Coordinates of all heavy atoms in Angstrom, one line a residue:
Chain Y
R639 N 18.0 -47.1 -119.5 CA 17.9 -45.7 -119.7 C 17.8 -45.5 -121.2 O 18.5 -46.1 -122.0 CB 19.1 -45.0 -119.2 CG 19.0 -43.5 -119.2 CD 20.3 -42.8 -118.7 NE 21.4 -43.2 -119.5 CZ 21.8 -42.5 -120.6 NH1 21.1 -41.4 -120.9 NH2 22.8 -42.8 -121.3
S641 N 18.3 -43.4 -124.7 CA 19.2 -42.4 -125.2 C 18.5 -41.0 -125.2 O 17.3 -40.9 -125.5 CB 19.6 -42.7 -126.6 OG 20.4 -41.6 -127.1
G642 N 19.2 -40.0 -124.7 CA 18.5 -38.7 -124.7 C 17.9 -38.4 -123.3 O 17.5 -37.3 -123.0
E643 N 17.8 -39.4 -122.5 CA 17.3 -39.3 -121.2 C 18.4 -39.0 -120.2 O 19.4 -39.7 -120.2 CB 16.6 -40.6 -120.8 CG 15.6 -40.5 -119.7 CD 14.8 -41.8 -119.5 OE1 15.4 -42.8 -119.7 OE2 13.7 -41.7 -119.0
T644 N 18.3 -38.0 -119.4 CA 19.3 -37.8 -118.4 C 19.1 -38.8 -117.3 O 18.1 -39.3 -117.1 CB 19.3 -36.3 -117.8 OG1 18.1 -36.2 -117.1 CG2 19.3 -35.3 -118.9
V645 N 20.2 -38.9 -116.5 CA 20.1 -39.9 -115.4 C 19.1 -39.5 -114.4 O 18.3 -40.3 -113.9 CB 21.5 -40.0 -114.7 CG1 21.4 -40.9 -113.5 CG2 22.5 -40.6 -115.7
R646 N 19.0 -38.2 -114.1 CA 18.0 -37.7 -113.2 C 16.6 -38.1 -113.7 O 15.7 -38.6 -112.9 CB 18.0 -36.2 -113.0 CG 19.1 -35.7 -112.1 CD 19.2 -34.2 -112.2 NE 20.2 -33.7 -111.3 CZ 19.9 -32.9 -110.3 NH1 18.7 -32.4 -110.2 NH2 20.9 -32.4 -109.5
E647 N 16.3 -37.8 -115.0 CA 15.0 -38.1 -115.5 C 14.7 -39.6 -115.4 O 13.6 -40.0 -115.1 CB 14.9 -37.7 -117.0 CG 14.9 -36.2 -117.2 CD 15.1 -35.8 -118.6 OE1 15.6 -36.6 -119.4 OE2 14.7 -34.7 -119.0
H665 N 28.1 -39.4 -108.5 CA 28.6 -39.4 -109.9 C 28.4 -38.0 -110.6 O 29.3 -37.5 -111.3 CB 27.9 -40.5 -110.7 CG 28.3 -40.5 -112.2 ND1 27.5 -40.1 -113.2 CD2 29.5 -40.8 -112.7 CE1 28.1 -40.2 -114.3 NE2 29.3 -40.6 -114.1
E666 N 27.3 -37.4 -110.3 CA 27.0 -36.1 -110.9 C 28.0 -35.1 -110.5 O 28.5 -34.3 -111.3 CB 25.6 -35.7 -110.5 CG 25.0 -34.6 -111.3 CD 23.6 -34.3 -110.8 OE1 23.5 -33.5 -109.9 OE2 22.6 -34.9 -111.4
R667 N 28.3 -35.1 -109.2 CA 29.2 -34.2 -108.6 C 30.6 -34.4 -109.2 O 31.3 -33.5 -109.6 CB 29.3 -34.3 -107.1 CG 28.1 -33.6 -106.4 CD 28.5 -32.8 -105.2 NE 29.4 -33.5 -104.3 CZ 29.0 -34.3 -103.4 NH1 27.8 -34.5 -103.1 NH2 29.9 -35.0 -102.6
R669 N 31.3 -35.8 -112.1 CA 31.4 -35.6 -113.5 C 31.2 -34.2 -113.9 O 31.9 -33.7 -114.8 CB 30.3 -36.5 -114.2 CG 30.2 -36.3 -115.7 CD 29.2 -37.4 -116.2 NE 28.7 -37.0 -117.6 CZ 29.2 -37.6 -118.6 NH1 30.1 -38.5 -118.6 NH2 28.7 -37.3 -119.8
Y670 N 30.3 -33.5 -113.2 CA 30.0 -32.1 -113.7 C 30.6 -31.1 -112.8 O 30.5 -29.9 -113.1 CB 28.5 -32.0 -113.7 CG 27.8 -32.9 -114.7 CD1 26.9 -33.9 -114.3 CD2 28.2 -32.9 -116.0 CE1 26.3 -34.7 -115.2 CE2 27.6 -33.7 -116.9 CZ 26.7 -34.7 -116.5 OH 26.1 -35.6 -117.4
R671 N 31.2 -31.5 -111.7 CA 31.9 -30.5 -110.9 C 33.3 -30.8 -110.7 O 34.1 -29.9 -110.3 CB 31.2 -30.3 -109.6 CG 31.5 -29.0 -109.0 CD 31.0 -28.9 -107.6 NE 31.1 -27.5 -107.2 CZ 30.8 -27.0 -106.0 NH1 30.3 -27.8 -105.1 NH2 31.0 -25.8 -105.8
Chain J
V239 N 29.1 -31.2 -120.2 CA 28.0 -30.4 -120.4 C 28.2 -29.5 -121.6 O 27.3 -29.3 -122.5 CB 27.7 -29.5 -119.2 CG1 26.7 -28.4 -119.5 CG2 27.3 -30.4 -118.0
R279 N 22.4 -25.0 -107.3 CA 23.6 -25.8 -107.6 C 24.7 -24.9 -108.1 O 24.4 -23.9 -108.7 CB 23.2 -26.8 -108.6 CG 23.4 -28.3 -108.1 CD 23.1 -29.3 -109.2 NE 21.8 -29.2 -109.7 CZ 21.5 -28.7 -110.9 NH1 22.4 -28.3 -111.7 NH2 20.2 -28.7 -111.3
E280 N 25.9 -25.3 -107.8 CA 27.0 -24.5 -108.3 C 27.6 -25.1 -109.6 O 28.7 -24.7 -110.1 CB 28.1 -24.5 -107.3 CG 27.7 -23.7 -106.1 CD 28.5 -24.1 -104.8 OE1 28.8 -25.3 -104.7 OE2 28.7 -23.2 -104.0
Y281 N 26.9 -26.1 -110.2 CA 27.4 -26.7 -111.4 C 26.2 -27.0 -112.3 O 25.1 -27.3 -111.8 CB 28.3 -27.9 -111.1 CG 27.6 -28.9 -110.3 CD1 26.9 -30.0 -110.9 CD2 27.6 -28.9 -108.9 CE1 26.2 -30.9 -110.1 CE2 27.0 -29.8 -108.1 CZ 26.3 -30.8 -108.7 OH 25.7 -31.8 -107.9
V283 N 24.1 -29.4 -114.8 CA 23.9 -30.8 -115.2 C 23.1 -30.8 -116.4 O 22.4 -29.8 -116.8 CB 23.2 -31.6 -114.1 CG1 24.1 -31.7 -112.8 CG2 21.8 -31.0 -113.7
P284 N 23.1 -31.9 -117.2 CA 22.4 -31.9 -118.5 C 20.9 -31.6 -118.3 O 20.3 -31.0 -119.3 CB 22.6 -33.4 -118.9 CG 23.9 -33.8 -118.3 CD 23.9 -33.1 -117.0
D285 N 20.4 -31.9 -117.2 CA 19.0 -31.6 -117.0 C 18.7 -30.1 -117.2 O 17.6 -29.7 -117.7 CB 18.5 -32.0 -115.6 CG 18.7 -33.5 -115.4 OD1 19.9 -33.9 -115.1 OD2 17.7 -34.2 -115.6
K288 N 18.7 -29.4 -120.8 CA 17.4 -29.9 -121.5 C 16.3 -29.0 -121.2 O 15.4 -28.7 -122.0 CB 17.1 -31.3 -120.9 CG 17.9 -32.4 -121.6 CD 17.4 -33.7 -121.2 CE 16.3 -34.3 -122.2 NZ 16.1 -35.7 -122.0
L320 N 16.9 -33.3 -128.7 CA 17.0 -33.7 -127.3 C 16.9 -35.2 -127.1 O 17.5 -35.9 -126.2 CB 16.0 -33.0 -126.4 CG 16.2 -31.5 -126.2 CD1 15.0 -30.9 -125.5 CD2 17.5 -31.3 -125.4
A321 N 16.0 -35.8 -127.9 CA 15.8 -37.3 -127.8 C 17.0 -38.0 -128.4 O 17.3 -39.1 -127.9 CB 14.5 -37.7 -128.6
V323 N 20.4 -36.9 -128.9 CA 21.7 -36.7 -128.3 C 21.7 -37.2 -126.9 O 20.8 -36.8 -126.1 CB 22.1 -35.2 -128.4 CG1 23.4 -35.0 -127.7 CG2 22.1 -34.7 -129.8
D324 N 22.6 -38.1 -126.6 CA 22.6 -38.7 -125.3 C 23.5 -37.9 -124.4 O 24.7 -37.7 -124.6 CB 23.1 -40.1 -125.4 CG 22.9 -40.8 -124.1 OD1 22.3 -40.2 -123.2 OD2 23.4 -42.0 -123.9
P325 N 22.9 -37.3 -123.3 CA 23.6 -36.4 -122.4 C 24.7 -37.2 -121.7 O 25.7 -36.6 -121.2 CB 22.6 -35.9 -121.4 CG 21.4 -36.9 -121.5 CD 21.5 -37.4 -122.9
E326 N 24.6 -38.6 -121.6 CA 25.6 -39.3 -120.8 C 26.7 -39.8 -121.6 O 27.6 -40.5 -121.1 CB 24.9 -40.5 -120.1 CG 23.8 -40.1 -119.2 CD 24.3 -39.2 -118.0 OE1 25.3 -39.5 -117.5 OE2 23.6 -38.3 -117.7
D327 N 26.7 -39.5 -122.9 CA 27.9 -39.9 -123.7 C 29.2 -39.3 -123.2 O 29.1 -38.1 -122.9 CB 27.6 -39.5 -125.2 CG 26.9 -40.6 -126.0 OD1 26.7 -41.6 -125.3 OD2 26.6 -40.4 -127.1

Side-chain angles (χ1 to χ4, degrees):
Chain Y
R639 185 181 67 84
S641 172
E643 196 175 32
T644 67
V645 173
R646 281 171 175 239
E647 287 168 342
H665 175 250
E666 196 180 84
R667 284 224 311 275
R669 179 172 161 100
Y670 299 118
R671 201 184 190 185
Chain J
V239 168
R279 240 182 304 107
E280 292 155 327
Y281 55 93
V283 294
D285 300 80
K288 277 189 94 167
L320 288 174
V323 178
D324 189 5
E326 298 301 317
D327 269 359

